[in-house]
Amino acid sequence: MTVKIQRFSKLIFPCCIVLRKPRPFGSHDSLDLGCSNTQLVVLLNLSPFLCSSMKLQWFAAALFLVVGAMAGKYSREVNEPKPGGADELTVEFRIAKLNQVWEKAKRMQMSPVRQAELHSDLKIQEKDELQWKKLKVEGLDESGEKEAQLRRNFHVILAKYGMDGKRDTRPLESNSLKDHEPNGGDSFEDPRLDKLWNKARNSAKFSEKELENLKKEFQHHKEKIHEYNILMDTVSRTEETHKNVISPLEGDATEPVLQQKHTELKQKMRDLNHGFERLRKISHKGFSEDSEFREPRVIELWEAAKRANLSGDELDSLKEELHHFETKVEKHSHYKEQLELSHQKLQHVENLGDKDHLRRTQEKYNTLSEKTREMGYKMKKHMQELSNKISRQGLQHNEL
């Protein structure tokens, strides 16, 4: 908001206030107060018959009105709060709604690892939303597709961490009967996955380390199914909203957005099918000797790259980059394990009642938690960049 004080001599009232669109930043007659949503213009009728003291009184009254306006819900203090002091809550994000989600997550007492994962997802969401705001100012999102995608991603995050205000009622699609009983908590909540896992575990094709890596792939596939179901549910609810659109013109405007959502769903379904087919082959034949990677996320990117019709040189370059990325993923996994152990130790020390020991343990836990969050954000950001790179290169080759 900018405050502008103008003088005039033909109005009856000594002072009035109007709201209007802001002028370009840096105007010589504007005082920038840090809020760019609108401009508060104070018009002072400094008539010749008023004495200097009365003019000052009217000017002071106008400033009081300005201060009151700044306290509104559109002020920067509300939407982009500054980090608080010792008596205030530390602000994690520059966007208010993301801070609200983070504070709610802490009240829910999530596990430290899951909380770190949420923090990374919110950081990615924040980066994307801030980039979108710049695009919107430049008029580069006229169709609203990017805005709709950001809103959808935000709802997916809420549902993924059980913060959308409803229970997860999205059952996995299956009409088959369970002809097996998974043992030792190895259920993947999908009969097809459970059956494949039991077949692989009971075979003699895998070493203990290979079986551990395979289990990671099964767990990753389970998470991908869950994310797909969340996205499908989000799209279905959006379509129900658009069915109630009254104006035909508004309906035509939303058509590209809905089409983009269905394209995204189809791509995720193709990825799921490719992933399941890979698990099926490995479960029957074991790992091949030329297996390039161990981490499920990296394997998924590599498989996508091989389907993207890239040249040999491009694949070699990408393979080297993926090896570096895999090292980063493994390091992050190690930190998550250490964070979980540190949390267990902290709970144990809390029961002992030794304040000095508790303080030292808490400091170590906080440092490890912050490091895990930072690494998680960098890893997910790197994965997003790699995925976009593969998609762009594959698209260029298909166009050629």
Side-chain angles (χ1 to χ4, degrees):
M1 181 183 292
T2 57
V3 177
K4 182 179 175 185
I5 301 177
Q6 296 178 340
R7 299 179 59 180
F8 63 99
S9 59
K10 295 183 179 181
L11 295 181
I12 298 175
F13 299 103
C15 173
C16 65
I17 292 177
V18 295
L19 296 175
R20 73 184 189 192
K21 297 289 184 181
R23 294 185 60 178
F25 179 80
S27 300
H28 69 279
D29 54 357
S30 297
L31 174 61
D32 184 14
L33 296 181
C35 300
S36 60
N37 293 327
T38 187
Q39 188 178 66
L40 183 63
V41 181
V42 182
L43 303 177
L44 296 180
N45 178 8
L46 303 180
S47 303
F49 57 82
L50 292 178
C51 64
S52 298
S53 62
M54 293 181 66
K55 292 178 182 179
L56 290 174
Q57 290 175 357
W58 283 114
F59 183 75
L63 287 179
F64 277 120
L65 290 172
V66 169
V67 172
M70 287 176 60
K73 65 179 181 178
Y74 297 109
S75 66
R76 175 174 290 182
E77 284 74 10
V78 173
N79 290 283
E80 293 187 8
K82 298 178 180 179
D87 298 331
E88 299 177 359
L89 292 175
T90 302
V91 174
E92 291 284 340
F93 303 95
R94 295 169 60 186
I95 299 177
K97 68 177 182 180
L98 301 185
N99 269 314
Q100 293 171 359
V101 172
W102 179 243
E103 294 301 325
K104 180 179 178 180
K106 290 193 289 188
R107 292 193 299 270
M108 291 172 62
Q109 296 182 342
M110 289 183 180
S111 68
V113 172
R114 191 161 175 79
Q115 197 175 94
E117 290 291 321
L118 171 62
H119 192 276
S120 300
D121 286 338
L122 291 177
K123 277 292 183 183
I124 294 291
Q125 181 74 13
E126 179 184 52
K127 178 180 72 73
D128 292 341
E129 292 209 16
L130 292 176
Q131 287 178 348
W132 168 77
K133 286 183 179 180
K134 293 180 181 179
L135 293 177
K136 187 178 180 181
V137 170
E138 297 171 0
L140 299 179
D141 189 31
E142 295 181 359
S143 64
E145 290 186 20
K146 181 65 176 177
E147 182 181 9
Q149 184 179 12
L150 286 172
R151 191 182 302 114
R152 187 164 63 254
N153 291 345
F154 180 66
H155 289 314
V156 168
I157 291 174
L158 295 180
K160 179 180 177 182
Y161 294 94
M163 304 177 71
D164 56 349
K166 67 174 186 177
R167 296 180 61 185
D168 186 2
T169 57
R170 296 173 286 270
L172 296 173
E173 183 179 352
S174 176
N175 296 321
S176 60
L177 297 175
K178 283 191 176 182
D179 55 355
H180 61 282
E181 290 296 329
N183 302 320
D186 287 341
S187 173
F188 297 100
E189 300 176 7
D190 183 342
R192 297 189 307 167
L193 290 180
D194 289 335
K195 191 171 183 178
L196 280 180
W197 169 246
N198 283 331
K199 178 175 299 225
R201 186 179 57 182
N202 296 327
S203 69
K205 298 183 180 72
F206 303 95
S207 65
E208 185 175 344
K209 184 63 177 178
E210 288 176 335
L211 208 56
E212 182 182 340
N213 290 335
L214 181 60
K215 187 174 182 179
K216 285 183 181 179
E217 288 201 46
F218 272 86
Q219 184 65 35
H220 180 66
H221 191 80
K222 170 188 170 182
E223 293 170 359
K224 298 294 288 186
I225 293 175
H226 183 58
E227 291 176 5
Y228 173 81
N229 288 333
I230 291 173
L231 181 61
M232 185 169 60
D233 182 57
T234 304
V235 171
S236 298
R237 279 182 284 157
T238 305
E239 286 183 330
E240 287 296 325
T241 302
H242 287 311
K243 284 181 181 179
N244 298 323
V245 174
I246 298 176
S247 170
L249 294 177
E250 292 180 8
D252 293 339
T254 59
E255 189 64 30
V257 178
L258 290 175
Q259 187 175 4
Q260 192 268 341
K261 292 176 182 177
H262 284 289
T263 302
E264 186 179 351
L265 275 174
K266 289 178 182 178
Q267 181 59 48
K268 286 189 176 294
M269 175 55 73
R270 281 194 293 266
D271 292 341
L272 282 175
N273 290 335
H274 284 299
F276 182 79
E277 183 61 21
R278 170 182 165 79
L279 291 175
R280 190 187 66 78
K281 289 181 179 178
I282 294 176
S283 299
H284 285 80
K285 300 180 181 179
F287 285 103
S288 60
E289 295 181 359
D290 60 345
S291 296
E292 294 288 345
F293 304 100
R294 299 174 301 277
E295 287 293 332
R297 292 183 180 90
V298 185
I299 293 171
E300 184 180 9
L301 289 172
W302 178 240
E303 294 293 329
K306 290 191 293 185
R307 296 194 301 268
N309 297 322
L310 303 181
S311 67
D313 291 340
E314 288 172 330
L315 278 176
D316 290 339
S317 175
L318 184 62
K319 184 189 297 184
E320 183 177 354
E321 191 172 357
L322 286 175
H323 276 298
H324 291 298
F325 177 63
E326 185 172 53
T327 302
K328 187 181 296 186
V329 174
E330 291 174 341
K331 189 174 181 181
H332 179 238
S333 298
H334 172 73
Y335 268 84
K336 288 197 297 183
E337 293 174 1
Q338 294 302 311
L339 178 62
E340 186 62 41
L341 293 174
S342 178
H343 183 251
Q344 294 174 8
K345 182 178 180 180
L346 179 62
Q347 290 178 319
H348 174 69
V349 173
E350 285 176 345
N351 296 328
L352 297 178
D354 187 338
K355 292 184 179 179
D356 289 337
H357 192 187
L358 176 60
R359 177 182 54 79
R360 292 192 300 269
T361 307
Q362 182 72 56
E363 288 175 355
K364 291 180 180 179
Y365 170 77
N366 291 342
T367 302
L368 186 58
S369 178
E370 183 63 31
K371 184 66 175 178
T372 305
R373 292 175 194 171
E374 181 184 352
M375 290 185 63
Y377 167 69
K378 290 181 178 179
M379 186 203 70
K380 290 192 175 184
K381 182 182 177 183
H382 193 179
M383 183 174 179
Q384 188 181 61
E385 292 170 352
L386 286 169
S387 180
N388 293 338
K389 181 179 180 180
I390 292 171
S391 299
R392 285 195 302 269
Q393 289 181 341
L395 181 61
Q396 291 171 0
H397 280 267
N398 289 334
E399 288 176 348
L400 292 175

